[in-house]
Amino acid sequence: MNKRGALLFISSLLIILLILNVSAQSTDENQTQLDKAYQCIKDKVGDDCSQLTLEEQTFSLLGVGNYKDCKNSILTNSLDQNEQQCWPKTSCKVKDTAIALLALERAGGNTDKAKNWLLNQSKVASDLIWYLQIESSQATTCNIKYDNANHNVNIQENKKPASGAGNCLSISENGYWLKLSASCLEKEYTISCDKDFTTTLLYKSQDSPTIHVSQNINSEVAQGESIEKVSYKCFREGTACTYEGSLWAATALYIIGFDTDPYIPYLTSFAEDKETLFPETFLYILTGSDEHLSVILGNSFKGEFWKVSAYGKFYDTALALLSLQSQETSETTAAKDYLLNGKTQNADGCWNNIRDTGFLLYSAWPPLSEGPTSCINDTDCASGRQCVLGQCAVRGSGDECDGNEDCEAN
């Protein structure tokens, strides 16, 4: 090697070593800031997790696991009876119960009773307006049966029904569909026509002009039968749907492996009206739709963090990072760098408060478990785990940390 070549080699080696050293320093600094956040929650828990509010308890458990037996404090805060469990015990709420379910799942606790209570709060989404669409390539006479009664309806060449069908089905405002009465949403409708035909359900919110088409489109030959029934649901408090509670409940149930498709129409229909709740983060978790992803990565991202709701930038950033847990984008990298830049944390190491800190740790730096951590489907994960958001998630069913104050169940 000549003198010039040797100098080039040494220069390149020095540059590589410099880059490695800077990278190592950056990693060490990031870990230091993370350690401060974990320690901040532990300091605020102190020696007695029961002194915290329910919100602080649940987000502490999400962030650091079962430190100082926070799991037991959360269980003490619940109403537990008849194979159902909800939070808080004095006035059970859907959102609080959903977050408590996630916290218990994080800590390896049994979530069956909380799941049962949430499912018992399901109801048909009567907040929506529903329509029955019957289509054929030519005019056809159809029979619609419900409540053991038959009703004949002629579908004209212009695709419009010539009449309604009893007390439950009237002609829609635009004339092309049959509108379901609000008192008839839980009925089953059997449709048969003398020509080949298709049926589907359409829906919209009360105040929106946007019509959504359900995922199920039934095609039948002449004299065949199609059955339509509104099976789309929300989660209720009292008799009314709660939108924010439904977002959290559907997401929590999805994360523990429950089918949440029946809740998508309600959540989608009201997303525009509830944009300050950042619903796209929940909907992207539930559907994986690029439509919701584009909103998350669009104007709601402020360059270093997300800010949409009244809950503040740290909470919103945690929501966004939760929805993007399976991805590494320029936005997620920028947000994590911002969180760990040494300027965004309080002197005690927290981001604003226990809620925001625990939520960020859970969303941006989720706990690792034995076996593979990334996945495409359930078969990629170790036994007892399922693929959720591209990560092998622990399905808690035991009480591994009971009686161990410093156990941090992963």
Side-chain angles (χ1 to χ4, degrees):
M1 181 182 296
N2 58 34
K3 186 175 181 180
R4 182 180 179 186
L7 288 173
L8 285 173
F9 174 78
I10 294 172
S11 298
S12 299
L13 183 60
L14 289 173
I15 291 172
I16 292 172
L17 291 173
L18 179 61
I19 291 172
L20 290 175
N21 184 55
V22 170
S23 177
Q25 286 181 348
S26 176
T27 300
D28 290 343
E29 290 171 1
N30 287 348
Q31 188 59 52
T32 297
Q33 298 307 127
L34 270 178
D35 290 342
K36 288 180 180 178
Y38 286 113
Q39 190 60 48
C40 178
I41 292 182
K42 292 179 179 181
D43 289 344
K44 291 184 181 299
V45 170
D47 292 325
D48 188 359
C49 194
S50 66
Q51 299 303 307
L52 302 180
T53 66
L54 173 62
E55 180 180 73
E56 290 172 335
Q57 290 171 353
T58 51
F59 281 99
S60 292
L61 200 59
L62 283 173
V64 302
N66 194 29
Y67 181 72
K68 298 297 181 182
D69 205 15
C70 273
K71 181 172 73 173
N72 187 60
S73 296
I74 290 174
L75 294 174
T76 302
N77 246 327
S78 70
L79 180 64
D80 187 348
Q81 59 184 16
N82 299 326
E83 296 303 313
Q84 295 187 39
Q85 192 173 30
C86 55
W87 287 263
K89 65 168 60 176
T90 54
S91 57
C92 292
K93 301 293 184 183
V94 172
K95 177 184 175 181
D96 291 338
T97 300
I99 297 174
L101 183 154
L102 284 177
L104 288 176
E105 191 272 341
R106 155 74 166 95
N110 191 302
T111 60
D112 289 344
K113 290 184 176 182
K115 179 193 74 174
N116 291 342
W117 186 86
L118 285 173
L119 292 176
N120 196 47
Q121 308 313 303
S122 294
K123 69 182 287 282
V124 172
S126 56
D127 299 41
L128 301 177
I129 297 172
W130 290 90
Y131 303 95
L132 170 63
Q133 181 182 56
I134 305 174
E135 282 198 340
S136 179
S137 61
Q138 52 192 311
T140 182
T141 298
C142 300
N143 176 268
I144 304 176
K145 181 179 180 180
Y146 62 91
D147 287 345
N148 295 317
N150 294 290
H151 307 273
N152 287 327
V153 174
N154 292 322
I155 306 298
Q156 305 169 94
E157 289 186 7
N158 62 5
K159 311 295 185 182
K160 294 183 177 182
S163 65
N167 295 327
C168 287
L169 298 168
S170 59
I171 297 178
S172 66
E173 297 84 357
N174 67 3
Y176 283 93
W177 313 313
L178 293 170
K179 182 178 181 180
L180 278 67
S181 168
S183 61
C184 299
L185 296 183
E186 298 195 37
K187 297 184 186 298
E188 184 175 275
Y189 300 88
T190 303
I191 305 103
S192 180
C193 302
D194 61 4
K195 302 291 192 300
D196 294 355
F197 68 101
T198 62
T199 67
T200 192
L201 292 171
L202 314 173
Y203 58 92
K204 66 183 287 291
S205 66
Q206 301 279 351
D207 302 321
S208 173
T210 305
I211 301 291
H212 302 272
V213 181
S214 69
Q215 296 176 336
N216 299 320
I217 299 177
N218 298 311
S219 298
E220 295 293 340
V221 298
Q223 309 305 328
E225 285 189 348
S226 172
I227 297 175
E228 297 287 355
K229 183 177 181 180
V230 176
S231 59
Y232 302 108
K233 301 177 179 180
C234 65
F235 292 89
R236 63 181 174 84
E237 285 184 352
T239 59
C241 294
T242 164
Y243 188 77
E244 185 177 18
S246 294
L247 286 172
W248 274 103
T251 301
L253 290 171
Y254 173 83
I255 287 175
I256 67 169
F258 192 81
D259 177 21
T260 55
D261 285 350
Y263 305 98
I264 302 301
Y266 169 74
L267 296 175
T268 302
S269 296
F270 287 94
E272 290 182 8
D273 299 332
K274 305 290 186 179
E275 60 183 12
T276 57
L277 294 174
F278 210 179
E280 291 81 12
T281 54
F282 298 93
L283 286 166
Y284 184 61
I285 292 172
L286 296 169
T287 68
S289 169
D290 288 342
E291 175 186 357
H292 304 307
L293 177 62
S294 65
V295 174
I296 296 170
L297 300 181
N299 293 335
S300 59
F301 184 64
K302 307 306 180 184
E304 295 178 310
F305 56 85
W306 282 266
K307 178 68 175 72
V308 179
S309 78
Y311 292 114
K313 65 180 180 181
F314 293 124
Y315 180 94
D316 291 347
T317 298
L319 277 178
L321 291 174
L322 178 64
S323 70
L324 299 170
Q325 249 182 29
S326 63
Q327 304 181 33
E328 191 168 320
T329 69
S330 58
E331 291 84 359
T332 61
T333 299
K336 291 179 184 180
D337 288 344
Y338 171 73
L339 292 169
L340 299 177
N341 66 11
K343 302 175 183 178
T344 57
Q345 291 162 273
N346 301 335
D348 54 15
C350 276
W351 290 287
N352 191 35
N353 53 34
I354 292 179
R355 181 199 68 188
D356 292 349
T357 305
F359 197 6
L360 281 168
L361 291 174
Y362 176 75
S363 299
W365 298 278
L368 299 179
S369 57
E370 306 84 30
T373 58
S374 60
C375 57
I376 297 175
N377 53 51
D378 292 350
T379 59
D380 296 330
C381 301
S383 176
R385 296 177 174 83
Q386 287 182 289
C387 188
V388 178
L389 307 179
Q391 300 289 316
C392 292
V394 179
R395 292 294 172 253
S397 59
D399 295 311
E400 298 86 351
C401 290
D402 284 352
N404 183 352
E405 289 186 338
D406 295 319
C407 174
E408 297 182 16
N410 290 331

